[in-house]
């Protein structure tokens, strides 16, 4: 039962971290794009899925650090004198983040990530050194509390970096890599500029009166389709929100040939 409880607590903490990272990174990404995440009505599962890819590297680094710590611990315990010296030094590991604080103005975005990570490592090593051979639940309880807070601080800092990186990637690839879209509508949707184009449908028997091209599929949420023009940028552009219905149709176009011919005549 103790093992089940410990595993359940870890799973709960991991889920909370994944959700928080997904929300924080999406918030940073949409702000960098001049939008807000609330526009897209993302669900809890959306936030969880958006966090998985960006956390592969931190997970591997954490696993490598854990294996390295286990190796160093085994190496130190082979000689009692060596272990005694290491424990004596680790009692002052909590001072490492304090040393970094004066350097924070040099690079705030970097130290926003380094400070919580060194706090977790420093306080954990300090608690290990001071409680070796005895149990001190109060020290470990306080250490775990501060470490959890520091973990969310580190996740928030990394999420900001990851979110801004995704926003920069979106700006570079929206024209050539986002799905090309054509919209057919019974009424004029007033989609203009940014590399988009429109024409009146003259084919007999068509229920649609307008066709819009030069558009890219930005996001889909339930019954709403979010589109941008192919030359869209965060600083200059419009996000078009269409609600699926009988008055309009959204066609997704595949293949590079269409991108070369769109909006020509």
């Amino acid at each position: 039962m103790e093992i089940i409880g410990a595993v359940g607590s870890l799973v709960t903490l991991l889920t909370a971290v994944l959700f928080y990272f997904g929300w924080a990174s999406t918030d940073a990404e949409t702000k960098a794009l001049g939008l807000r995440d609330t526009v897209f009505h993302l669900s809890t599962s959306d936030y969880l899925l958006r966090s998985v890819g960006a956390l592969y590297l931190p997970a591997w680094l954490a696993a490598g650090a854990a294996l390295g710590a286990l190796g160093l611990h085994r190496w130190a315990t082979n000689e009692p004198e060596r272990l005694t010296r290491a424990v004596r030094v680790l009692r002052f590991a909590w001072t490492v983040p304090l040393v970094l604080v004066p350097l924070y103005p040099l690079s705030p975005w970097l130290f926003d990530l380094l400070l919580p990570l060194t706090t977790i490592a420093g306080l954990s090593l300090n608690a290990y050194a001071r409680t070796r051979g005895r149990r001190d639940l109060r020290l470990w309880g306080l250490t775990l509390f501060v470490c959890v807070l520091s973990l969310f601080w580190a996740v928030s800092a990394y999420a900001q970096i990851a979110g801004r990186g995704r926003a920069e990637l979106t700006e570079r690839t929206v024209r050539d890599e986002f799905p090309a879209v054509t919209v057919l509508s019974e009424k004029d949707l007033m989609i203009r500029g940014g590399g988009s184009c429109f024409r009146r449908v003259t084919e007999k028997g068509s229920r649609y009166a307008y066709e819009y091209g030069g558009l890219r599929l930005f996001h889909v949420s339930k019954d709403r389709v979010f589109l941008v023009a192919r030359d869209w940028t965060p600083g200059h552009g419009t996000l078009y929100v269409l609600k699926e219905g009988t008055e309009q149709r959204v066609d997704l176009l595949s293949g590079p040939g269409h991108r070369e011919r769109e909006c020509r005549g």
Side-chain angles (χ1 to χ4, degrees):
M1 293 300 296
E2 289 181 357
I3 294 176
I4 293 175
V7 171
S9 299
L10 289 175
V11 171
T12 301
L13 178 61
L14 178 61
T15 303
V17 169
L18 288 174
F19 174 79
Y20 181 72
F21 179 87
W23 171 81
S25 62
T26 302
D27 182 63
E29 177 185 3
T30 52
K31 283 182 178 178
L33 294 174
L35 306 168
R36 292 303 300 267
D37 65 298
T38 53
V39 173
F40 301 111
H41 300 93
L42 299 175
S43 64
T44 300
S45 59
D46 291 327
Y47 287 123
L48 292 174
L49 291 174
R50 289 175 67 85
S51 67
V52 173
L55 289 178
Y56 278 129
L57 178 59
W60 279 110
L61 292 177
L67 291 175
L70 288 175
L72 288 174
H73 182 267
R74 177 170 297 182
W75 172 78
T77 53
N78 288 334
E79 294 187 15
E81 184 177 348
R82 181 189 300 162
L83 180 60
T84 301
R85 291 197 302 269
V87 169
R88 191 180 301 118
V89 173
L90 293 179
R91 285 175 173 267
F92 300 96
W94 60 272
T95 62
V96 175
L98 296 180
V99 174
L100 296 179
V101 170
L103 303 177
Y104 181 85
L106 298 177
S107 182
W109 70 269
L110 177 60
F111 284 95
D112 267 337
L113 185 60
L114 288 180
L115 280 174
L117 293 179
T118 54
T119 298
I120 293 172
L123 292 183
S124 299
L125 293 173
N126 169 74
Y128 167 80
R130 293 181 181 275
T131 60
R132 180 170 174 76
R134 62 186 180 88
R135 296 181 65 181
D136 190 338
L137 296 181
R138 288 180 299 179
L139 177 59
W140 272 111
L142 179 60
T143 299
L144 290 177
F145 176 72
V146 176
C147 286
V148 169
L149 293 180
S150 299
L151 175 62
F152 278 92
W153 180 10
V155 168
S156 177
Y158 182 63
Q160 294 292 320
I161 297 172
R164 289 192 293 267
R166 285 205 301 251
E168 292 176 0
L169 179 63
T170 295
E171 185 176 0
R172 293 196 307 268
T173 60
V174 65
R175 180 184 179 94
D176 297 324
E177 298 184 17
F178 277 43
V181 172
T182 293
V183 177
L184 296 170
S185 175
E186 296 179 4
K187 300 178 181 179
D188 188 359
L189 299 177
M190 298 302 295
I191 297 178
R192 304 288 191 273
S196 66
C197 55
F198 79 100
R199 72 176 183 90
R200 292 183 179 272
V201 178
T202 57
E203 288 81 353
K204 293 184 179 180
S206 175
R207 63 175 298 178
Y208 300 107
Y210 296 89
E211 179 182 358
Y212 303 88
L215 301 173
R216 300 293 181 262
L217 180 64
F218 197 85
H219 184 72
V220 177
S221 178
K222 297 180 181 179
D223 62 341
R224 286 177 168 77
V225 180
F226 299 84
L227 306 174
V228 296
R230 57 182 175 177
D231 296 333
W232 176 89
T233 62
H236 182 74
T238 302
L239 178 69
Y240 301 101
V241 184
L242 303 183
K243 188 173 183 180
E244 293 182 1
T246 58
E247 295 183 354
Q248 56 205 19
R249 191 181 81 194
V250 179
D251 295 339
L252 304 180
L253 307 172
S254 60
H258 171 78
R259 296 176 188 266
E260 298 175 357
R261 297 190 302 271
E262 62 184 350
C263 295
R264 291 184 180 178

